[in-house]
Amino acid sequence: MVKYSRNPKLVVDLSKLRNNISRIQRMCHDKGVEVAGVIKGCTGIPECAEQFEYAGCSFIASSRLEQLEPLKAHGIQNPLMMIRIPSLTEVPDVIRITDISLNSEPEVLEALNKEAGRQDRNHKVILMADLGDLREGFWDKDEMVETALRVEYEMHNLTLAGVGTNLGCYGAIAPTPEKLQELVDIAERIESEIGRELEFISGGATSSLPRIIEDNLPPRVNMLRVGEGILLAKDLQDLWGYDMSYMHKDVFTLRAEVIEVKDKPTHPVGEIMFDAFGNKPSYEDRGIRKRALIGLGKVDYAFPEDLIPRMKGISVIGASSDHTILDVEDAECEVHVGDIIEFDLSYSTMVYVTNSNNIEKVFI
């Protein structure tokens, strides 16, 4: 095993990331669909955001203004999109930082319009429809049409750019062709009222990519907001069974240093109370086994069960705040103090790891 300076370390392969973006970009472009590249999964790392711009994404998007704000200073010229509906207190920064935002509250839209006037800017908005996933969006579609008319005719500092939806993130509702056609129907109802075609019908996120793969996306859906399907490219294959072998699954590599290796019991000895997070865990007694500690913990990645060791035979037993415990009894190579163990990330661990100040970020 290779030894490195300071650990833990997250190594980001930017060429593999750019390759992933380009492949998704081409797949979507061939179907007439623009891509908003979502950088929230990697905590808006500017070096990653650059790759979305280089690959030709129409927008760079995040749910966090603090991830979008540094990008202009970093030299990124792409239009920026806010993909979480804004709060009233965020309105000045939404107008100052972003070019387009997703919205569902008339009161917030009024505030955006006034603030855009104060800043002498025009701001594009996409009105969100709740199609059953029960997160953000207009449930009452009559209200949505009425709001669209108000934006179009009364809010002169806003441009009604389109309609959108989110599916799968809360209610786990599938973005089927029929469900996305509901969004198209809403868009066409609004278009008939305002007498023009909307610029965007934004049909969701990574979970909508199967419609591209199966070539059954409703023809008028012309934008997707894609993050995980580019950054990790795991969910479509692992959860839905699509062949994503042409995508790099190892853009991100977490490297952690072994700080202890000892043979220990697998069941704690003594009266079991609560762990550091207030949980009362249970354990399987497997006798004495070789265990290794690495120098990072739940505060760095949150979910030990979602860390994926690359070395065969290693399993993650659990973690405290700053330690992760590995079973290395059956590891394919002998593990020693000072060795570096590499891990693949899931989406849930990636969002924490990229946000951890304890983990050095290295770009190759």
Side-chain angles (χ1 to χ4, degrees), residues 51-85:
Q51 306 310 309
F52 287 89
E53 181 173 63
Y54 296 156
C57 287
S58 299
F59 297 94
I60 295 176
S62 179
S63 58
R64 309 282 173 151
L65 289 168
E66 62 268 24
Q67 295 176 6
L68 295 171
E69 184 169 15
L71 300 186
K72 296 290 188 186
H74 197 77
I76 289 174
Q77 301 299 313
N78 264 39
L80 303 181
M81 175 184 285
M82 173 71 161
I83 59 170
R84 177 182 45 74
I85 58 173

Side-chain angles (χ1 to χ4, degrees), residues 95-355:
I95 297 300
R96 179 176 60 85
I97 296 168
T98 73
D99 302 281
I100 185 169
S101 60
L102 311 183
N103 287 271
S104 63
E105 277 295 336
E107 184 178 357
V108 175
L109 287 160
E110 291 280 8
L112 287 168
N113 181 54
K114 291 177 182 177
E115 184 62 35
R118 279 192 286 268
Q119 295 189 30
D120 194 25
R121 297 193 65 185
N122 182 272
H123 184 78
K124 292 185 176 183
V125 296
I126 291 176
L127 300 187
M128 296 296 282
D130 189 335
L131 301 182
D133 205 64
L134 303 183
R135 201 178 71 177
E136 80 275 36
F138 289 90
W139 184 253
D140 184 330
K141 303 313 181 289
D142 290 336
E143 181 193 7
M144 184 171 178
V145 173
E146 291 169 7
T147 302
L149 290 170
R150 288 178 60 196
V151 173
E152 181 76 2
Y153 294 119
E154 300 175 19
M155 301 184 191
H156 302 300
N157 303 304
L158 302 182
T159 296
L160 178 62
V163 299
T165 195
N166 179 78
L167 292 163
C169 286
Y170 170 70
I173 298 301
T176 62
E178 296 76 18
K179 186 62 72 173
L180 292 177
Q181 184 59 46
E182 293 179 27
L183 182 65
V184 174
D185 293 343
I186 294 166
E188 292 180 345
R189 182 179 167 191
I190 291 172
E191 288 171 339
S192 70
E193 294 282 348
I194 64 176
R196 67 174 178 86
E197 191 171 287
L198 294 169
E199 185 178 1
F200 300 117
I201 300 178
S202 185
T206 293
S207 58
S208 294
L209 282 176
R211 306 285 67 81
I212 297 288
I213 296 169
E214 296 180 13
D215 195 20
N216 57 11
L217 186 74
R220 292 214 53 206
V221 175
N222 63 358
M223 179 203 283
L224 294 180
R225 311 177 304 273
V226 184
E228 190 283 334
I230 288 170
L231 296 169
L232 292 180
K234 290 178 180 290
D235 284 359
L236 288 175
Q237 182 167 297
D238 296 349
L239 301 180
W240 296 303
Y242 290 95
D243 177 15
M244 303 299 289
S245 57
Y246 50 87
M247 299 287 285
H248 295 288
K249 315 297 193 305
D250 57 349
V251 170
F252 298 90
T253 300
L254 177 62
R255 290 173 171 161
E257 186 172 345
V258 176
I259 59 176
E260 177 185 289
V261 180
K262 296 189 184 300
D263 292 334
K264 291 189 180 183
T266 49
H267 195 285
V269 179
E271 180 182 351
I272 293 176
M273 52 170 197
F274 300 96
D275 66 16
F277 291 86
N279 302 310
K280 194 167 188 177
S282 59
Y283 302 92
E284 178 186 0
D285 190 345
R286 301 178 62 203
I288 302 293
R289 293 183 62 87
K290 188 175 293 295
R291 295 152 73 94
L293 295 182
I294 54 175
L296 76 170
K298 287 184 179 180
V299 296
D300 300 301
Y301 57 75
F303 304 105
E305 64 275 14
D306 291 337
L307 276 184
I308 308 163
R310 286 186 180 168
M311 185 187 293
K312 292 179 181 178
I314 292 181
S315 59
V316 179
I317 299 173
S320 61
S321 299
D322 307 301
H323 300 79
T324 301
I325 305 167
L326 308 176
D327 185 313
V328 298
E329 180 79 20
D330 301 319
E332 63 179 351
C333 298
E334 188 77 19
V335 175
H336 305 93
V337 170
D339 285 343
I340 304 301
I341 306 295
E342 294 189 342
F343 299 86
D344 286 313
L345 300 176
S346 62
Y347 189 83
S348 58
T349 51
M350 176 178 63
V351 296
Y352 282 87
V353 166
T354 53
N355 197 42

Side-chain angles (χ1 to χ4, degrees), residues 29-40:
H29 183 266
D30 289 346
K31 307 297 183 185
V33 175
E34 296 186 43
V35 174
V38 179
I39 60 171
K40 67 174 183 175

